[in-house]
Amino acid sequence: AQTVTQSQPEMSVQEAETVTLSCTYDTSESDYYLFWYKQPPSRQMILVIRQEAYKQQNATENRFSVNFQKAAKSFSLKISDSQLGDAAMYFCAYFSGGSNYKLTFGKGTLLTVNP
Amino acid sequence: DAGITQSPRHKVTETGTPVTLRCHQTENHRYMYWYRQDPGHGLRLIHYSYGVKDTDKGEVSDGYSVSRSKTEDFLLTLESATSSQTSVYFCAIRGDSSNQPQHFGDGTRLSIL
C-alpha cells in the first residue's frame, strides 16, 4: 500500500523568508502524481502544486516550487517570500491511475508565518 | 472554482440516528470521493465512485454506505451514527484525464453527541 509521510507536524517562518516542507512517499508504481494542498483556517482544500512522476522538471507555481527526487521518493515544497496568507495546514498527497486516482494523504504540516 | 456543493455544512445529531450527507457537482465528472478529516490523521478515504452505480470502499469504510444514482450526486450515509464518526467530511471530484487533480468541496462538520 502507498504511504505518504510528512515528518514535520509544525513549521514556522518569518514573513518574506523561505521555508521548505518535507514529504516522502512509498510506492511500487511507476506512473503516479504528487500534490500539495493547502488548508487555511477556512477549511477549504486548495491545490497548490502538482508533479507528474514521469516529468524530471520540478513544478513551479509563482512563489511555490517543489524538489522532486524520484529515486529517493521525496517531494518537498518550497515557499519563497512567505506571506501572512500562506499560514495554513499543508498536505502532501499521492495518487496513481492504477488505484482509480484515490488520493493518499500525509498527516499534514501546520505552517505559521510570523510578521 | 470546481462546482461542488456539500450539504449540510454543519450538523449535530445524536448517537444511533441515521445521517446522510450530500455531494452535488455541476462538472459532469466521473470520479467522486468521500473523505473524513480528523486531527493527527490527515484525510482518509471512506468510499469513492467511478461512475453511476459504481462504487468501492476506501480505507475507513466501516459504518458508512454510499450511493450514486446519477452523475451529479454522491450520497454518504451513516446508518446508525456513533461518536467516533464525529469528523469533518469532504467530498472531492475529478475528471477523466490522468493528470487531473481532485477538487474538494467546502466540507461538512458533523458532530455526534
Side-chain angles (χ1 to χ4, degrees):
Chain A
Q2 293 82 12
T3 59
V4 177
T5 302
Q6 294 180 247
S7 59
Q8 307 150 317
E10 298 184 18
M11 293 280 287
S12 64
V13 63
Q14 291 297 126
E15 197 175 2
E17 298 292 308
T18 295
V19 65
T20 298
L21 308 183
S22 300
C23 173
T24 58
Y25 59 95
D26 187 24
T27 183
S28 58
E29 304 274 351
S30 59
D31 182 22
Y32 55 88
Y33 301 83
L34 296 160
F35 305 87
W36 279 98
Y37 282 88
K38 168 186 177 182
Q39 187 180 43
S42 66
R43 200 170 73 197
Q44 288 180 293
M45 290 290 289
I46 301 166
L47 178 67
V48 175
I49 199 165
R50 61 178 153 180
Q51 175 79 43
E52 290 91 340
Y54 65 86
K55 289 187 177 179
Q56 293 186 335
Q57 186 173 4
N58 289 325
T60 298
E61 290 285 345
N62 300 314
R63 298 182 295 107
F64 299 87
S65 61
V66 299
N67 183 5
F68 173 48
Q69 302 288 329
K70 190 172 183 178
K73 295 180 181 175
S74 172
F75 182 60
S76 60
L77 175 68
K78 186 172 81 171
I79 306 174
S80 303
D81 186 25
S82 297
Q83 300 175 0
L84 294 177
D86 294 333
M89 182 72 85
Y90 286 82
F91 292 99
C92 178
Y94 159 105
F95 74 45
S96 69
S99 67
N100 268 322
Y101 307 104
K102 297 176 290 185
L103 275 171
T104 299
F105 284 88
K107 294 183 178 181
T109 297
L110 181 62
L111 179 65
T112 302
V113 181
N114 301 310
Chain B
D1 289 344
I4 312 169
T5 304
Q6 289 187 233
S7 59
R9 292 296 314 279
H10 306 273
K11 186 174 182 66
V12 180
T13 190
E14 294 184 347
T15 301
T17 60
V19 177
T20 295
L21 308 183
R22 180 185 184 228
C23 178
H24 178 78
Q25 60 144 329
T26 58
E27 306 294 324
N28 200 36
H29 282 342
R30 176 183 175 193
Y31 295 92
M32 298 184 77
Y33 307 83
W34 276 109
Y35 295 88
R36 60 178 288 174
Q37 183 178 19
D38 304 291
H41 289 279
L43 278 79
R44 293 178 292 174
L45 182 66
I46 305 171
H47 282 280
Y48 67 100
S49 171
Y50 47 96
V52 173
K53 295 191 186 332
D54 291 323
T55 65
D56 205 351
K57 296 179 180 180
E59 64 179 304
V60 291
S61 59
D62 287 349
Y64 301 94
S65 63
V66 290
S67 66
R68 192 168 178 201
S69 59
K70 46 186 178 178
T71 299
E72 57 265 36
D73 288 328
F74 191 34
L75 304 181
L76 177 70
T77 297
L78 292 64
E79 300 289 348
S80 178
T82 68
S83 58
S84 64
Q85 294 175 310
T86 292
S87 188
V88 178
Y89 291 85
F90 285 94
C91 174
I93 65 173
R94 73 175 300 277
D96 281 347
S97 298
S98 60
N99 65 349
Q100 288 291 306
Q102 290 186 17
H103 295 282
F104 286 80
D106 290 339
T108 294
R109 181 174 295 278
L110 177 63
S111 297
I112 300 164
L113 307 178

